[in-house]
Amino acid sequence: MVQDVYLPHVSRIRRITQETDSSDVKTFEVIFLNEDAWQGFKYAPGQFAEVSIFGVGEAPISITSSPTQEGYLEFSVKRMGAVTTALHHLEEGAVIGVRGPYGNTFPIEDMKGRDIIFIGGGIGLAPLRSLINYMLSAKYRADFGKIDIIYGARSPGDLVFKWELEKWRQRDDVNLVVTVDRGDDAWTGRVGFVPAVLKEVAPAPGGAVAVTCGPPIMIKFVIQNLLELGFAPEQIVTTLEMRMKCGIGKCGRCNIGSKYVCKDGPVFTYAQLGEMPKEY
């Protein structure tokens, strides 16, 4: 019997973590109620899933956990619309729907043996986190070179994954730079916009791959600065999530020219974006 592609897997929220001081971003740890469904859910960093709140609707959400973290999924969600607001109102133990995984993945095979520079802003760290933890896992760490992570948010209270930032900071094989647009009385770290901090850090482009995600204006200037630092368009990878709806290329909402963000993306190199209409 052919399975309905729109039928979600029934799942339970096992844990909720409040990420930001304003509570507008929460991370939901989710487990499938059907073990066979979980065993069939094979995903890789960069992919997303449709998360549904029964009676409200569904929304495409990046998977922020790494497939090396077995037994559960994590979704970090910013409260923005009806579905995400309803999700934020749920408590641990609530039942939701998850279907997927959808979209392409980060080009992991092409990244092997190369230095990796992650540049994230705000909740844009969520899809990068899946790849970061994949690369930092004991199983795959030796496959990649030096790892730099440049991450920023508007304020200290808007930084996400704070406990994990500290965990990455303590590793000898990671260079972590955290910045905020404006500090507060307790902030003793770096202050400055992510693109400017990128220029100060000035990672070497030779043999490296830069992966960036964040607000569109941040991505625009990050890419501009990477090009000035000598990165080729093929060395710059980003992820788009604009206008995605059905997740399977049926509704036609996310097409850019002949490409569908939900099927051909959401991961693209800057070289690939250069071949597409400027609609993103």
Side-chain angles (χ1 to χ4, degrees), residues 9 44 48 53 64 83 113 115 138 142 172 182 193 240 277 280:
H9 301 301
F48 68 95
I53 310 301
T64 191
V83 174
D115 294 341
D172 295 332
R182 59 182 184 281
F193 295 113
L240 303 178
Y280 49 88

Side-chain angles (χ1 to χ4, degrees), residues 83-106:
V83 174
T84 57
T85 298
L87 182 59
H88 269 242
H89 286 158
L90 295 180
E91 297 181 350
E92 293 176 353
V95 173
I96 62 174
V98 176
R99 64 179 175 92
Y102 296 128
N104 66 352
T105 73
F106 288 110

Side-chain angles (χ1 to χ4, degrees), residues 223 233-234 236 238 240 255-260 264 267-280:
I223 291 176
E234 293 79 8
I236 302 171
T238 190
L240 303 178
N255 68 296
I256 303 175
S258 63
K259 303 289 186 183
Y260 288 85
D264 301 300
V267 177
F268 296 95
T269 66
Y270 188 56
Q272 291 171 321
L273 292 179
E275 299 172 351
M276 296 160 57
K278 303 295 184 185
E279 299 174 4
Y280 49 88

Side-chain angles (χ1 to χ4, degrees), residues 36 103 120 223 263:
D36 289 339
I223 291 176
K263 289 184 66 179

